[in-house]
Amino acid sequence: RLHEKLVSWRNDTRLLNLAAKQFDEGVYVSSFLTPEWYDAVFNNAMLLLYRPSPYLPHPTMITALGNEGADQDNHLFQAAKAAINAYSEIHRKRRLNYSWITLHGVFIAGLAYVYAVGRALNSPGQTLAMPDYLDIINDTRTCSNLLVAICERWNVARRSCELFNKLSS
């Protein structure tokens, strides 16, 4: 039900008509007025919904085909990749907020991405379609670049950037 509510909320954000609004170059526009921001928030919520936790450390969902955790892993991977891409697009448009909440969102998306790829590589019966190695490298590099951009403007965040680089290596 939570998944359905999140999808419904995301669909409702289209009523904001953000994509249709035209903004002049050189004029500051808040990241909160971009469709990419809502994509990032949606995907971060999906990461929270499908991530493993100390209470449920292993996937517990069983799909119609009987593949335990396959749906959960796929949702986790897709949400992580989409969140990284959404933050990257916000950064490309020079609208990224350099705050702890953005740092948290990017870091968690990167961590979930590395976790999902690691599960796909280490689990022979995994049904997650393994992405191309170059895509994995590019997505990981994109996340790292986002963290570096945040760290350049906010030195306190530097440790997060270093930690992500060690984990993703």
Side-chain angles (χ1 to χ4, degrees):
R1 283 188 286 170
L2 289 174
H3 179 98
E4 292 169 2
K5 286 182 180 183
L6 283 171
V7 171
S8 176
W9 174 83
R10 182 182 191 185
N11 291 338
D12 287 347
T13 64
R14 292 186 182 124
L15 299 174
L16 298 173
N17 208 18
L18 298 171
K21 294 180 181 177
Q22 297 296 318
F23 300 106
D24 296 327
E25 288 297 321
V27 176
Y28 174 77
V29 176
S30 171
S31 63
F32 306 120
L33 296 175
T34 63
E36 293 84 12
W37 172 255
Y38 290 93
D39 286 342
V41 170
F42 168 78
N43 285 298
N44 280 339
M46 294 296 276
L47 289 174
L48 290 174
L49 182 61
Y50 288 107
R51 72 179 180 172
S53 70
Y55 181 67
L56 297 170
H58 304 289
T60 58
M61 297 175 64
I62 298 184
T63 65
L65 299 174
N67 297 328
E68 187 176 323
D71 234 10
Q72 185 174 358
D73 287 343
N74 191 41
H75 284 302
L76 189 70
F77 175 78
Q78 295 301 327
K81 182 176 179 66
I84 292 168
N85 290 333
Y87 281 115
S88 179
E89 185 61 20
I90 294 168
H91 181 255
R92 188 188 67 75
K93 291 180 176 179
R94 301 183 190 278
R95 295 181 180 146
L96 190 67
N97 291 323
Y98 300 99
S99 65
W100 71 268
I101 196 72
T102 304
L103 172 68
H104 178 267
V106 173
F107 184 79
I108 292 300
L111 189 61
Y113 185 84
V114 169
Y115 172 83
V117 168
R119 275 190 50 88
L121 290 171
N122 293 327
S123 300
Q126 193 64 272
T127 59
L128 176 64
M130 194 62 209
D132 183 60
Y133 285 109
L134 288 177
D135 289 339
I136 294 170
I137 292 167
N138 288 334
D139 292 338
T140 305
R141 186 175 295 142
T142 298
C143 187
S144 180
N145 289 342
L146 287 165
L147 290 169
V148 166
I150 294 168
C151 294
E152 285 177 347
R153 289 166 181 81
W154 192 30
N155 196 37
V156 174
R158 188 156 315 281
R159 182 74 178 122
S160 299
C161 183
E162 293 167 357
L163 180 60
F164 177 77
N165 287 336
K166 285 181 184 177
L167 291 172
S168 62
S169 290

